[in-house]
Amino acid sequence: KAGVTQTPRYLIKTRGQQVTLSCSPISGHRSVSWYQQTPGQGLQFLFEYFSETQRNKGNFPGRFSGRQFSNSRSEMNVSTLELGDSALYLCASNGRGANTGELFFGEGSRLTVL
Amino acid sequence: AQSVTQLGSHVSVSEGALVLLRCNYSSSVPPYLFWYVQYPNQGLQLLLKYTSAATLVKGINGFEAEFKKSETSFHLTKPSAHMSDAAEYFCAVSDPGNQFYFGTGTSLTVIP
């Protein structure tokens, strides 16, 4: 069973640019969550999508957005990049039926903003 | 909202010594609790999870954790540390709405 796949793994952008990151969940998983990980801040929750609908949202500015497609693949976009957006962006899928399901993480997309 | 507190952002142990990583949570309802491990340049991997069955949960790589409701704790232990255990460890709790809350992580160093 293939795991969660994130692309690209590494990317470098400059301030003011925008970036799109992609996540393919485990087959059959309908929930996809995104997290930002920075040193000292741990994992900060961005948003969760379930069946193409945003179900939960973290406390991030509107520059951060996402969407989910009918095949459960998800993308997140960051516009007008700032230096502070440099981070590891992790995607996780969840196939829970009852509320016992764990998150399955991809390897992340490491974004560097110059 | 729930919260997770991991005491000690950095823990060092000697190879062969006991590993103890602390996690406390705040929850008004019975929680689902998890420990994840992250190796450099990788995503998070599930070590173990508590889902209201046995209070002592065994995970992969010899790790286990004990759920103590009275102390709202879910500490992670391993009897004998191995060099390969050096990594970042995260405690997490999920609520009925599938919202996950992570601690800030504990970096484990194993000294040869």
Side-chain angles (χ1 to χ4, degrees), chain A residues 25-88:
Chain A
I26 291 172
S27 178
H29 285 191
R30 296 164 63 189
S31 169
V32 174
S33 301
W34 289 90
Y35 292 83
Q36 181 194 65
Q37 184 180 20
T38 54
Q41 294 290 323
L43 275 75
Q44 303 293 313
F45 172 70
L46 282 155
F47 26 65
E48 183 215 0
Y49 287 87
F50 182 84
S51 294
E52 302 181 65
T53 301
Q54 188 180 87
R55 187 161 66 174
N56 289 302
K57 188 178 188 302
N59 188 27
F60 275 81
R63 301 185 297 107
F64 292 81
S65 63
R67 59 178 175 169
Q68 187 180 33
F69 302 96
S70 59
N71 62 357
S72 293
R73 189 178 71 85
S74 177
E75 290 181 346
M76 66 162 284
N77 184 79
V78 187
S79 62
T80 319
L81 284 166
E82 301 176 358
L83 295 179
D85 296 333
S86 294
L88 180 66

Side-chain angles (χ1 to χ4, degrees), chain B residues 7-95:
Chain B
L7 291 176
S9 58
H10 298 276
V11 171
S12 294
V13 299
S14 298
E15 191 174 16
L18 172 71
V19 176
L20 171 60
L21 305 182
R22 300 178 186 275
C23 173
N24 289 88
Y25 65 92
S26 67
S27 174
S28 58
V29 297
Y32 297 99
L33 295 157
F34 308 84
W35 274 99
Y36 283 87
V37 61
Q38 184 180 34
Y39 299 102
N41 298 315
Q42 294 187 23
L44 278 68
Q45 176 185 357
L46 182 70
L47 271 178
L48 49 82
K49 65 179 180 181
Y50 167 77
T51 56
S52 74
T55 57
L56 183 63
V57 182
K58 294 187 182 298
I60 62 172
N61 301 337
F63 284 93
E64 62 183 34
E66 185 173 8
F67 171 66
K68 292 187 176 180
K69 184 177 179 180
S70 61
E71 299 177 7
T72 60
S73 69
F74 192 56
H75 302 330
L76 181 71
T77 61
K78 181 174 180 178
S80 177
H82 191 271
M83 295 299 293
S84 61
D85 294 328
E88 187 90 17
Y89 292 80
F90 293 91
C91 181
V93 61
S94 69
D95 67 18

Side-chain angles (χ1 to χ4, degrees), chain B residues 93-105:
Chain B
V93 61
S94 69
D95 67 18
N98 200 43
Q99 179 80 50
F100 280 74
Y101 302 86
F102 284 85
T104 52

